[in-house]
Coordinates of all heavy atoms in Angstrom, one line a residue:
A1 N 17.2 20.0 -64.9 CA 18.2 19.0 -64.5 C 17.8 18.4 -63.1 O 18.0 17.2 -62.9 CB 19.6 19.6 -64.4
G2 N 17.3 19.2 -62.3 CA 16.9 18.7 -61.0 C 15.8 17.7 -61.1 O 15.9 16.6 -60.4
C3 N 14.8 17.9 -61.9 CA 13.8 16.9 -62.2 C 14.3 15.6 -62.8 O 14.0 14.5 -62.3 CB 12.7 17.5 -63.1 SG 11.7 18.8 -62.3
V4 N 15.2 15.7 -63.8 CA 15.7 14.6 -64.4 C 16.6 13.8 -63.5 O 16.5 12.5 -63.4 CB 16.5 15.0 -65.7 CG1 17.3 13.8 -66.3 CG2 15.6 15.6 -66.7
F5 N 17.5 14.5 -62.8 CA 18.4 13.8 -61.8 C 17.6 13.1 -60.7 O 17.9 12.0 -60.3 CB 19.4 14.7 -61.3 CG 20.4 15.3 -62.3 CD1 21.2 16.4 -62.0 CD2 20.5 14.8 -63.6 CE1 22.0 17.0 -62.9 CE2 21.4 15.3 -64.5 CZ 22.1 16.4 -64.2
A6 N 16.7 13.9 -60.2 CA 15.9 13.3 -59.0 C 15.1 12.1 -59.4 O 14.8 11.2 -58.6 CB 15.0 14.4 -58.4
A7 N 14.7 12.1 -60.7 CA 13.9 10.9 -61.2 C 14.7 9.7 -61.4 O 14.2 8.6 -61.6 CB 13.2 11.3 -62.5
G8 N 16.0 9.8 -61.4 CA 16.9 8.7 -61.6 C 16.9 8.1 -63.0 O 17.1 6.9 -63.1
V9 N 16.7 8.9 -64.0 CA 16.5 8.3 -65.4 C 17.9 8.2 -66.1 O 18.0 7.7 -67.2 CB 15.6 9.1 -66.2 CG1 14.2 9.1 -65.6 CG2 16.1 10.6 -66.4
V10 N 19.0 8.7 -65.4 CA 20.3 8.7 -66.0 C 21.1 7.6 -65.4 O 21.5 7.6 -64.3 CB 21.0 10.0 -65.8 CG1 22.4 10.0 -66.5 CG2 20.2 11.2 -66.3
P11 N 21.3 6.5 -66.2 CA 22.1 5.3 -65.6 C 23.5 5.7 -65.6 O 24.1 6.1 -66.6 CB 21.7 4.2 -66.6 CG 21.4 4.9 -67.9 CD 20.8 6.2 -67.5
L12 N 24.2 5.6 -64.5 CA 25.6 5.8 -64.4 C 26.4 4.6 -65.0 O 25.9 3.5 -64.9 CB 26.0 6.1 -62.9 CG 25.3 7.3 -62.2 CD1 25.8 7.4 -60.8 CD2 25.7 8.5 -63.0
P13 N 27.5 4.9 -65.5 CA 28.3 3.8 -66.2 C 28.7 2.7 -65.2 O 28.9 3.0 -64.0 CB 29.6 4.6 -66.7 CG 29.1 6.0 -66.8 CD 28.2 6.2 -65.7
D14 N 28.7 1.5 -65.7 CA 29.2 0.4 -64.9 C 30.6 0.6 -64.4 O 31.5 1.1 -65.1 CB 29.1 -0.9 -65.7 CG 27.6 -1.2 -66.1 OD1 26.7 -0.8 -65.4 OD2 27.5 -1.9 -67.2
G15 N 30.8 0.1 -63.2 CA 32.2 0.2 -62.7 C 32.5 1.5 -61.9 O 33.5 1.6 -61.3
W16 N 31.5 2.4 -61.9 CA 31.7 3.7 -61.1 C 31.6 3.4 -59.6 O 32.2 4.1 -58.8 CB 30.8 4.7 -61.6 CG 31.2 5.5 -62.8 CD1 32.0 5.0 -63.8 CD2 30.9 6.8 -63.2 NE1 32.3 5.9 -64.8 CE2 31.6 7.1 -64.4 CE3 30.2 7.8 -62.6 CZ2 31.5 8.3 -65.1 CZ3 30.1 9.1 -63.2 CH2 30.8 9.3 -64.4
G17 N 30.8 2.4 -59.3 CA 30.6 2.1 -57.9 C 29.8 3.1 -57.1 O 29.9 3.2 -55.9
V18 N 29.1 3.9 -57.8 CA 28.2 5.0 -57.2 C 26.8 4.8 -57.7 O 26.6 4.7 -58.9 CB 28.7 6.4 -57.6 CG1 27.8 7.4 -56.9 CG2 30.2 6.6 -57.1
G19 N 25.9 4.7 -56.8 CA 24.5 4.6 -57.1 C 23.9 5.9 -57.6 O 24.6 6.9 -57.7
T20 N 22.6 5.9 -57.8 CA 22.0 7.1 -58.3 C 21.6 8.0 -57.2 O 21.1 9.2 -57.4 CB 20.7 6.7 -59.1 OG1 19.8 6.0 -58.2 CG2 21.0 5.9 -60.3
E21 N 21.7 7.6 -55.9 CA 21.3 8.4 -54.8 C 22.0 9.8 -54.7 O 21.3 10.8 -54.5 CB 21.5 7.6 -53.5 CG 20.5 6.5 -53.2 CD 20.8 5.3 -54.1 OE1 21.9 5.2 -54.6 OE2 19.9 4.5 -54.2
P22 N 23.3 9.9 -54.9 CA 23.9 11.2 -54.8 C 23.4 12.1 -55.9 O 23.2 13.3 -55.7 CB 25.4 10.9 -55.0 CG 25.6 9.5 -54.6 CD 24.3 8.8 -55.0
L23 N 23.2 11.6 -57.1 CA 22.7 12.4 -58.2 C 21.2 12.8 -57.9 O 20.8 13.9 -58.2 CB 22.7 11.6 -59.5 CG 22.6 12.4 -60.8 CD1 23.7 13.5 -60.9 CD2 22.6 11.5 -62.0
R24 N 20.5 11.9 -57.3 CA 19.1 12.3 -56.9 C 19.1 13.4 -55.9 O 18.3 14.4 -56.0 CB 18.4 11.1 -56.4 CG 18.0 10.0 -57.4 CD 17.4 8.8 -56.6 NE 17.0 7.7 -57.5 CZ 15.8 7.5 -58.1 NH1 14.8 8.4 -57.8 NH2 15.6 6.5 -58.9
F25 N 20.0 13.3 -55.0 CA 20.1 14.4 -53.9 C 20.5 15.7 -54.5 O 19.9 16.8 -54.2 CB 21.1 14.0 -52.9 CG 21.3 15.0 -51.8 CD1 20.3 15.2 -50.8 CD2 22.4 15.7 -51.7 CE1 20.4 16.2 -49.9 CE2 22.6 16.7 -50.7 CZ 21.6 16.9 -49.8
I26 N 21.4 15.7 -55.5 CA 21.8 16.9 -56.2 C 20.6 17.5 -57.0 O 20.4 18.7 -57.0 CB 23.0 16.6 -57.1 CG1 24.3 16.3 -56.3 CG2 23.3 17.8 -58.0 CD1 25.4 15.9 -57.1
G27 N 19.9 16.6 -57.6 CA 18.7 17.0 -58.3 C 17.7 17.7 -57.4 O 17.1 18.8 -57.8
V28 N 17.5 17.2 -56.3 CA 16.5 17.9 -55.3 C 17.0 19.3 -55.0 O 16.2 20.2 -54.9 CB 16.3 17.0 -54.1 CG1 15.5 17.7 -53.0 CG2 15.6 15.7 -54.5
L29 N 18.3 19.4 -54.7 CA 18.8 20.7 -54.3 C 18.7 21.7 -55.5 O 18.4 22.9 -55.3 CB 20.3 20.6 -54.0 CG 20.7 19.8 -52.7 CD1 22.2 19.8 -52.5 CD2 20.0 20.5 -51.5
M30 N 18.9 21.2 -56.7 CA 18.8 22.1 -57.9 C 17.3 22.5 -58.1 O 17.1 23.7 -58.4 CB 19.3 21.4 -59.1 CG 20.8 21.1 -59.1 SD 21.3 20.1 -60.5 CE 21.3 21.3 -61.8
M31 N 16.4 21.6 -57.9 CA 15.0 22.0 -58.0 C 14.6 23.0 -56.9 O 13.9 24.0 -57.2 CB 14.1 20.8 -57.8 CG 14.2 19.8 -58.9 SD 13.3 18.2 -58.5 CE 11.7 18.8 -58.2
A32 N 15.2 22.8 -55.7 CA 14.9 23.8 -54.6 C 15.4 25.2 -54.9 O 14.8 26.2 -54.7 CB 15.5 23.3 -53.3

């Protein structure tokens, strides 16, 4: 999950108003 999230391959639904950066950061922590 860390690799997948950090790679930003999961598009968040429109209207959430949140970019992929938080998910990428969580991914890095999970990998670590």
